[in-house]
């Protein structure tokens, strides 16, 4: 094992009954099929009880009780024990001591299992939660939802980041996020006069993405800062309402997917700096979380927050994440870990366990969503270029209908897989945290 080859574990789950129906959840202890490392099958029962839901509710709130978190961790570990988890747990401890990376991918044909914080799985030998193990990445993946092919030539990309914020649901730290993006990104990748959508509406975001696809430069990453809000049995995002200026409109996960699916061939990364943007809502909710629905549309990587995200935590994550991506030229996976480590330094918040990455094992262990040219690096200054960089050629526009059809197909037909374990307008003043 080398630092370039992380120890990889892929966890695939299937419900033992009605395995082909991802949302056929019943609130009762459920048996799930698990495949062992040797290729056999095990059955393990997960205890869906009122006590478990109470612990899940307690864990997401500020000032949470540590006992609830560790009870959840022990429950998750007991569930995994029947599928050879003990072997992998020893390997995780050994890899962590050697400074090696560990990548765990959670993939489930049973939608309710995405509601569980797998970062809380407790190691038997140490009691440590795996989400806090240095170098250990937990990522989430919906089965049979491959990343949409990149439709933009690499030479046309500039590492552009589009920043959209809305304070319609309450004050947000837009000024701090803007400062973090300006500090991390070269002006060719982030131009505030071009790349900031203040008081964002659905229409403004759609128009900006459409303009980027038509005229360039293409958008590599979309950074959304707003409030999450309940809608139905799940959560959505609160944008400014175009029909009623000054009011908020909560956009559900399915509509957010409709907004971004046509741009899956251009946008490679979406960062949702919004409370509960990774929260799937009630177990069995047919929509799932905002992050999951964007992921299912074929976006290569989505970062979100499963729990309420503190104002300071959202800013700290933005600083560390984009600093690693752009200044350090780190992979998405390493940048996510660097940002999580920054959140771990605040003992008063659970932001480190709240942030969640949706990406795909098939895309590899080192992906680079920002296509940064050599001129945009920030090490030692070099002489200015003798000629301007070439402008992007986007004469071939993606067809929106084709992409929407692909996104729709990705949401259909879930296989009955099993658990597999394998080797500016002025931004507002910050007041309360986003919620």
């Amino acid at each position: 094992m080398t630092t370039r080859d992380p120890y990889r574990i892929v966890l695939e789950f299937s419900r033992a009954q009605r395995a082909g129906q991802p949302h056929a959840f019943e609130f009762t202890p459920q048996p799930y099929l698990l495949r062992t490392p040797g290729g056999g099958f095990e059955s393990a029962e997960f205890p869906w009880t009122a006590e478990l839901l109470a612990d899940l509710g307690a864990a997401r709130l500020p000032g949470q009780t540590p006992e609830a978190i560790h009870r959840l961790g022990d429950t998750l570990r007991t569930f995994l024990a029947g599928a050879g988890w003990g072997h992998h747990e020893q390997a995780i401890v050994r890899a962590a001591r050697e400074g090696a990376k560990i990548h765990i991918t959670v993939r489930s044909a049973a939608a309710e299992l995405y509601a569980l914080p797998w970062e809380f799985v407790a190691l038997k030998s140490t009691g440590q939660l795996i989400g806090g193990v240095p170098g250990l990445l937990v990522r989430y993946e919906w089965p049979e939802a491959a990343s949409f092919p990149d439709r933009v030539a690499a030479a046309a990309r500039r590492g552009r980041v589009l920043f959209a914020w809305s304070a319609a649901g309450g004050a947000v730290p837009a000024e701090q996020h803007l400062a973090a993006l300006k500090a991390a990104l070269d002006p060719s990748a982030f131009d505030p006069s071009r790349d900031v959508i203040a008081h964002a509406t659905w229409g403004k975001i759609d128009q900006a993405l459409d303009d980027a696809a038509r005229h360039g430069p293409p958008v590599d990453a979309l950074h959304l800062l707003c409030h999450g809000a309940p809608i139905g049995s799940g959560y959505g995002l609160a944008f400014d309402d175009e029909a009623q200026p000054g009011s908020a409109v909560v956009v559900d996960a399915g509509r957010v997917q409709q907004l971004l699916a046509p741009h899956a061939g251009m946008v490679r990364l979406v960062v949702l700096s919004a409370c509960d943007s990774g929260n799937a809502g009630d177990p069995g909710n047919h929509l799932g979380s905002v992050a999951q629905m964007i992921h299912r549309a074929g976006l290569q990587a989505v970062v979100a927050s499963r729990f309420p995200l503190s104002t300071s935590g959202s800013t700290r994550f933005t600083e560390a994440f984009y600093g690693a991506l752009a200044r350090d030229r780190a992979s998405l996976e390493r940048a996510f870990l660097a940002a999580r480590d920054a959140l771990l330094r605040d003992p008063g918040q659970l932001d480190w366990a709240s942030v969640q990455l949706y990406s795909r094992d098939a895309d590899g262990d080192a992906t680079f969503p920002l296509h940064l040219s050599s001129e945009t690096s920030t090490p030692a200054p070099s002489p200015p270029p003798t000629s301007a960089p070439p402008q992007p050629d986007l004469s071939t526009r993606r067809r929106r209908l084709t992409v929407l059809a692909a996104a729709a197909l990705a949401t259909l037909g879930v296989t009955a897989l099993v658990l597999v374990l394998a080797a500016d307008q002025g931004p507002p003043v910050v007041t309360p945290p986003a919620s």
Side-chain angles (χ1 to χ4, degrees), residues 259-299:
L259 171 66
L260 296 180
H263 306 288
M266 175 180 66
V267 179
R268 312 311 290 165
L269 167 67
V270 176
V271 177
L272 302 173
S273 190
C275 297
D276 293 302
S277 51
N279 190 337
D282 297 339
N285 173 25
H286 279 241
L287 269 183
S289 69
V290 175
Q292 186 182 90
M293 290 299 285
I294 296 173
H295 164 79
R296 291 176 67 180
L299 276 292

Side-chain angles (χ1 to χ4, degrees), residues 197-275:
I197 305 175
H199 306 289
T201 65
W202 170 295
K204 286 181 180 179
I205 297 171
D206 185 55
Q207 186 63 55
L209 292 172
D210 218 37
D211 287 346
R214 286 172 175 268
H215 311 297
V219 171
D220 287 13
L222 173 63
H223 184 91
L224 288 176
L225 171 64
C226 61
H227 283 258
I231 181 169
S233 60
Y235 289 86
L237 303 179
F239 293 132
D240 281 67
D241 190 346
E242 286 184 279
Q244 298 181 354
S247 299
V249 57
V250 180
V251 182
D252 67 61
R255 296 301 303 277
V256 175
Q257 185 192 64
Q258 287 179 330
L259 171 66
L260 296 180
H263 306 288
M266 175 180 66
V267 179
R268 312 311 290 165
L269 167 67
V270 176
V271 177
L272 302 173
S273 190
C275 297

Side-chain angles (χ1 to χ4, degrees), residues 73-86:
D74 289 339
T75 298
L76 291 168
R77 187 197 175 280
T78 300
F79 172 64
L80 292 175
W85 178 254

